[in-house]
Amino acid sequence: MLPSRPLGFSGIPSKNATPSHRNVSGEPMTGAQALIRSLEDLGVQDVFGIPGGAILPVYDAINEDTKFRFILARHEQAAGHAAEGYAVATGHVGVCIVTSGPGATNIITAVADANMDSVPLVVITGQVGVNSIGTDAFQEADIVGATYPVSKHSYLVTDAQDIPRVLTEAYYIANSGRPGPVVVDLTKTAQTGMMHYSWPQKMILPGYNPVTKAHGRTLRDAAMLFQRALRPVLYVGGGAVRSDASRQIKALSDLTGAPVVTTLPARGIIPDSDPANLGMLGMHGTIAATGAVQRSDLLVAIGARFDDRVTGQLDSFAPSAKVIHIDIDPAEIGKNRDVDVPIVGDVATVVDDLLVEIESQHEQHGRPDLTNWWTMISQWVEQYPLTYTQPSDGSLSPQWVIEQLSKLADPDTIWVSGVGQHQMWASQFIDFEHPHDWISSGGLGTMGFGLPAAIGASIGAQRYREKPAGVWLVDGDGSFQMTSEEMATAALEGTPIKVALLNNSVYGMVRQWQTLFYKQHYSATILHDEPLVGIPDFVKLAEAYGWEAIRATTPEEAVEAMKRAQEINDRPVLVELLVWKDALVMPMVAAGASNDDVLYMPGITPLKQSTPSEGEPGVAARIVGEGMGSVHAHNDEPVNHAKRKGM
């Protein structure tokens, strides 16, 4: 746990108070200069933000000699999302600097988003002078109070001398334990005041000691559960990605024979080509992934938090499973689901140690026989591959578009999405082969996340990746318009991102719920009426910002446009694809329903039916055989995991 709130503040001294902790031996400078120097000494390479009155002394301290690059966003929320994309793509802390009042309140959405998805950020906000706090001064807002519930920690800095220490602590807190956003609210008094700078700084964080290594007893208990299990599943969440535990997850699956299912943020933790990877589970997960969890006798949650989009009706989630929960945040363990073996620690460290205990169990008792388990899983994989229905109005199928894009893109592409139907289709139909190559807003589901996050990811990839990785953003017209002003940032900062804009002229995911649950009453989800195609005209909008822009309405045009975009690497590119507004994201579990009620396609509930017999034609094949050729399987040859595993 972090220290109690008072220790997080530097306090508001009386007008005549003189701090007794000044280090008079350091280099004299203003607090604003100290903040810039602290960021440099922390090794920060890139900073996002927008200036304003209450933070102007800090911006005045940024000059040609400053060691980090400053990226000027066009909206504070977008600056925060860009820092998130940067952090996820690189593993380094994202840093933002914005002003007080509306500048700071604008960035709160990004702070909350980063908090939900455990993204390390340091967000520096300007604040009015100490004597003006509480007077409703111009552009005053209680940012510490506003961000405390949605951040990992928040500071109010009133004394210039505290700035290097607070920045040191903020950077450490953001990137240690369970990563998250830390807010530093910097009064103008602290920015303009004189101080004596020294480095490094000693942190004052009593009580903050994240546990990284698990207790040996819990590891032995977990290994014994693995030894007894006949239907184990590894349920892997974003915490495993933050821990950079891809190698460990792969090794654990190989050693135990357990399949891997992932949450949305964990896509790519092991390659999709790995036969053990069943894909995403839950509301829009694969039948194999959701079915395996529901029928498991051992569920190993690794860096996951039993989110409602994963569990559905919690009481009926994996009802027969013993639970091992590995997480660095003790508050997550047992929060939503009772746990049989709780393991607090860093995922990569814990799994490395757990592998040793499991190998010891195998040496004593042999490996459990999971043949029947993989036979059941393989039947789900074969019978229920990802499918979609062809459009009835001649427009493009959004799923088909994403499939083609996945085939055409470079294998080292960083994929980013906005929020909505396109986000789910991207997670389903893109083939992910590497960790850290998928960036999306998961827990908060923030529309408008995609474009600025893609910009941040591109800047981070240019900085830290040995082989420059291209960035493709899959976005929807509704989500894209929420931060489209950042097209200026992309153009002026030289980030050659590529955008596949799936334009269906509606708020697609909301419309899908209205289709299924609200008797097709499309209230406030139609972005423009049919005759008014082109509001906005995305091609003209992109060209106005200096982008290359291409529109595609047919499959041939779509493929050609995506190929053309792949060839352009000196400026941003937008490919507008006119897609079917009535396309549905399937499979689907209705909110609050049991995962056993998952719909494969409307009217088909596989987990309520008997397991299909070996050799029986799959559902997709049967539909085609019955003359409904509008359903297409994602995999031309569904993988038999049991055979691929040699079982």
Side-chain angles (χ1 to χ4, degrees):
M1 295 292 291
L2 287 171
S4 60
R5 182 178 293 194
L7 286 175
F9 300 174
S10 61
I12 301 177
S14 64
K15 294 181 180 180
N16 299 318
T18 301
S20 59
H21 57 278
R22 292 191 182 277
N23 179 358
V24 295
S25 63
E27 179 183 352
M29 62 181 67
T30 67
Q33 293 169 329
L35 183 133
I36 301 304
R37 180 77 70 84
S38 297
L39 293 176
E40 292 174 334
D41 285 341
L42 286 166
V44 172
Q45 298 292 312
D46 302 278
V47 174
F48 304 84
I50 298 178
I55 197 68
L56 207 52
V58 168
Y59 277 86
D60 187 55
I62 299 174
N63 53 49
E64 293 181 356
D65 297 328
T66 300
K67 295 178 182 178
F68 58 76
R69 173 186 180 184
F70 178 77
I71 298 94
L72 178 63
R74 295 303 186 271
H75 191 280
E76 290 87 359
Q77 178 183 339
H81 293 324
E84 287 186 88
Y86 181 96
V88 176
T90 66
H92 293 266
V93 176
V95 179
C96 310
I97 305 176
V98 300
T99 194
S100 66
T105 57
N106 280 345
I107 208 170
I108 290 176
T109 296
V111 171
D113 189 278
N115 196 52
M116 291 284 277
D117 286 353
S118 302
V119 178
L121 297 185
V122 170
V123 177
I124 300 161
T125 60
Q127 184 55 274
V128 299
V130 167
N131 292 337
S132 297
I133 290 177
T135 68
D136 291 333
F138 179 68
Q139 293 192 336
E140 180 193 357
D142 180 4
I143 296 306
V144 168
T147 59
Y148 214 72
V150 294
S151 65
K152 187 174 180 183
H153 200 45
S154 297
Y155 288 90
L156 174 64
V157 181
T158 62
D159 180 8
Q161 193 63 47
D162 289 334
I163 289 174
R165 173 185 59 81
V166 169
L167 262 291
T168 301
E169 292 175 4
Y171 198 86
Y172 173 71
I173 292 169
N175 209 31
S176 60
R178 178 179 180 173
V182 179
V183 175
V184 178
D185 198 30
L186 194 60
T187 62
K188 204 163 186 180
T189 306
Q191 296 173 54
T192 57
M194 294 301 297
M195 56 87 67
H196 290 80
Y197 187 86
S198 62
W199 195 267
Q201 288 283 309
K202 182 179 180 180
M203 295 185 292
I204 305 174
L205 294 173
Y208 181 64
N209 298 295
V211 175
T212 59
K213 194 171 180 64
H215 192 281
R217 180 180 59 79
T218 61
L219 294 172
R220 288 190 293 274
D221 290 344
M224 291 175 64
L225 284 184
F226 267 106
Q227 190 65 34
R228 297 168 187 162
L230 297 177
R231 300 187 305 279
V233 174
L234 306 184
Y235 153 42
V236 183
V241 178
R242 301 292 178 265
S243 180
D244 200 20
S246 178
R247 176 185 62 80
Q248 288 83 355
I249 299 300
K250 167 68 174 167
L252 184 60
S253 175
D254 288 346
L255 178 63
T256 63
V260 174
V261 303
T262 74
T263 63
L264 177 72
R267 297 287 287 119
I269 188 70
I270 68 170
D272 281 355
S273 57
D274 191 312
N277 189 345
L278 304 184
M280 190 171 70
L281 81 157
M283 178 172 278
H284 293 298
T286 67
I287 297 300
T290 301
V293 169
Q294 288 301 99
R295 303 295 181 264
S296 65
D297 64 359
L298 176 63
L299 186 63
V300 187
I302 305 174
R305 56 189 177 84
F306 293 89
D307 177 76
D308 63 290
R309 289 301 193 257
V310 163
T311 67
Q313 184 185 68
L314 189 59
D315 291 345
S316 63
F317 178 68
S320 301
K322 296 282 188 181
V323 175
I324 299 169
H325 194 171
I326 303 170
D327 204 291
I328 200 165
D329 185 356
E332 288 296 342
I333 296 179
K335 183 177 77 174
N336 293 327
R337 171 69 181 253
D338 289 338
V339 176
D340 296 280
V341 179
I343 305 178
V344 178
D346 171 68
V347 166
T349 303
V350 168
V351 175
D352 271 334
D353 292 342
L354 180 59
L355 290 168
V356 176
E357 294 292 338
I358 293 173
E359 287 172 346
S360 177
Q361 288 287 323
H362 287 177
E363 289 174 2
Q364 296 178 52
H365 308 291
R367 292 186 60 173
D369 183 359
L370 305 184
T371 302
N372 291 337
W373 182 221
W374 273 104
T375 298
M376 182 184 298
I377 290 169
S378 298
Q379 290 170 358
W380 278 319
V381 171
E382 293 167 3
Q383 297 298 306
Y384 301 104
L386 290 170
T387 64
Y388 55 89
T389 303
Q390 288 284 44
S392 60
D393 63 354
S395 59
L396 293 168
S397 161
Q399 300 97 323
W400 176 86
V401 165
I402 293 172
E403 279 186 314
Q404 300 308 307
L405 183 58
S406 180
K407 293 175 183 177
L408 291 169
D410 188 287
D412 293 317
T413 294
I414 296 174
W415 297 96
V416 184
S417 84
V419 168
Q421 286 181 311
H422 64 275
Q423 177 188 30
M424 296 297 103
W425 289 321
S427 71
Q428 291 176 336
F429 290 101
I430 291 172
D431 292 318
F432 296 100
E433 293 297 306
H434 308 290
H436 309 295
D437 284 356
W438 168 240
I439 302 171
S440 191
S441 172
L444 200 64
T446 305
M447 293 179 69
F449 172 89
L451 178 56
I455 294 169
S458 179
I459 290 169
Q462 292 171 17
R463 171 79 66 186
Y464 288 106
R465 298 209 177 187
E466 292 183 7
K467 178 182 177 182
V471 176
W472 266 104
L473 165 62
V474 178
D475 215 341
D477 54 315
S479 186
F480 187 79
Q481 288 183 77
M482 292 194 174
T483 51
S484 61
E485 77 286 335
E486 299 308 314
M487 296 176 80
T489 306
L492 294 173
E493 293 294 338
T495 55
I497 62 174
K498 309 175 197 305
V499 178
L501 184 66
L502 277 55
N503 186 355
N504 59 7
S505 302
V506 298
Y507 287 130
M509 187 60 84
V510 183
R511 179 186 171 91
Q512 173 165 331
W513 282 47
Q514 289 173 333
T515 298
L516 297 175
F517 310 121
Y518 292 90
K519 300 179 181 179
Q520 301 181 28
H521 178 211
Y522 299 125
S523 174
T525 50
I526 300 172
L527 294 178
H528 59 72
D529 294 329
E530 294 297 334
L532 299 178
V533 174
I535 298 181
D537 183 322
F538 285 103
V539 170
K540 290 182 179 178
L541 180 66
E543 290 174 344
Y545 280 112
W547 288 39
E548 183 79 12
I550 312 167
R551 179 178 291 121
T553 61
T554 68
E556 294 77 17
E557 290 177 352
V559 171
E560 184 60 32
M562 289 185 282
K563 288 181 177 178
R564 171 66 181 139
Q566 278 292 113
E567 297 170 353
I568 299 172
N569 294 302
D570 60 347
R571 59 194 181 281
V573 186
L574 183 141
V575 179
E576 182 188 17
L577 302 136
L578 303 185
V579 300
W580 190 29
K581 67 178 180 298
D582 290 321
L584 299 178
V585 182
M586 288 288 164
M588 182 177 184
V589 179
S594 169
N595 280 359
D596 285 331
D597 297 327
V598 59
L599 286 173
Y600 174 59
M601 295 287 282
I604 302 174
T605 53
L607 300 188
K608 285 193 168 183
Q609 301 167 8
S610 59
T611 303
S613 301
E614 186 118 35
E616 180 185 350
V619 170
R622 292 202 304 274
I623 293 174
V624 172
E626 291 165 1
M628 297 180 63
S630 60
V631 176
H632 295 251
H634 174 41
N635 301 307
D636 293 331
E637 297 179 2
V639 177
N640 185 319
H641 289 267
K643 294 178 182 178
R644 292 279 296 277
K645 293 285 287 186
M647 296 180 179

